[in-house]
Amino acid sequence: LEFRRVLFRSTETANLRSISSGVLYKDGNAIYKVDSAGSKTKLVDFTETVLSWCDDGTSLFWTANVSSKGTLYKKPLSSSSSSTSASLGGATQLYQHPSAATSSMIMEYAKDRLIVGDGSALWAHAGTVSTPDTIYTQNNSSFILGQRNGSFFARNGLGKI
């Protein structure tokens, strides 16, 4: 019962993810891990907006605009320290867009790759410090990538998915 009570203090209850040892949840720009005993650990506490996040069962991945650039991070789920914008607390910066901030970065872990949608581009990342591989780029400016329930969607200017 206590475990359930901790979960639903979040204002964004749709941002829950089940992991083998409990759950992860996002509340504002913070991401928490709650184990099966109900112990809560704050893994991420950024001042910048956390745009998207996911896990692969052993690591947490998240994106934020840092220094006005879209940035991708990775952190072990076993960590007990909090990562902030000023101190990564055990997290690793995997990639930072060379020139631009983003407001629409989305991601999901699938087939041993981190799949990331950024504006009208879709790319794959191996989860190590490296430049991602571009999978697809759409030149139509009205093309929009979206995500819901672990799936990616593409929408054209007509507003239909």
Side-chain angles (χ1 to χ4, degrees):
L1 196 55
E2 178 62 26
F3 185 63
R4 196 174 305 153
R5 201 173 314 133
V6 169
L7 286 179
F8 292 102
R9 286 187 194 145
S10 171
T11 57
E12 301 178 28
T13 55
N15 284 321
L16 298 170
R17 295 184 75 90
S18 176
I19 57 174
S20 62
S21 60
V23 295
L24 298 171
Y25 76 97
K26 179 179 175 282
D27 190 6
N29 293 325
I31 301 174
Y32 297 88
K33 174 179 65 177
V34 182
D35 66 23
S36 55
S39 261
K40 182 167 82 169
T41 303
K42 187 185 288 187
L43 296 174
V44 176
D45 189 13
F46 263 41
T47 52
E48 292 86 3
T49 301
V50 173
L51 300 168
S52 59
W53 64 287
C54 68
D55 73 281
D56 67 357
T58 59
S59 296
L60 171 67
F61 301 91
W62 74 97
T63 60
N65 281 323
V66 176
S67 302
S68 299
K69 296 178 182 177
T71 308
L72 173 63
Y73 296 95
K74 175 183 180 178
K75 180 176 189 164
L77 289 174
S78 59
S79 179
S80 59
S81 62
S82 184
S83 296
T84 65
S85 306
S87 168
L88 289 181
T92 302
Q93 179 180 308
L94 296 179
Y95 176 74
Q96 186 171 57
H97 193 284
S99 61
T102 182
S103 61
S104 61
M105 195 175 275
I106 56 175
M107 72 172 115
E108 192 58 57
Y109 198 84
K111 298 192 180 252
D112 298 324
R113 306 286 281 175
L114 187 60
I115 307 299
V116 181
D118 185 5
S120 61
L122 193 62
W123 40 273
H125 200 284
T128 59
V129 178
S130 64
T131 301
D133 299 322
T134 301
I135 297 172
Y136 180 77
T137 301
Q138 173 56 259
N139 294 324
N140 181 344
S141 62
S142 64
F143 182 86
I144 300 168
L145 286 170
Q147 179 189 27
R148 185 173 194 141
N149 299 327
S151 298
F152 285 93
F153 298 94
R155 184 176 80 196
N156 64 18
L158 300 174
K160 295 186 178 182
I161 294 179

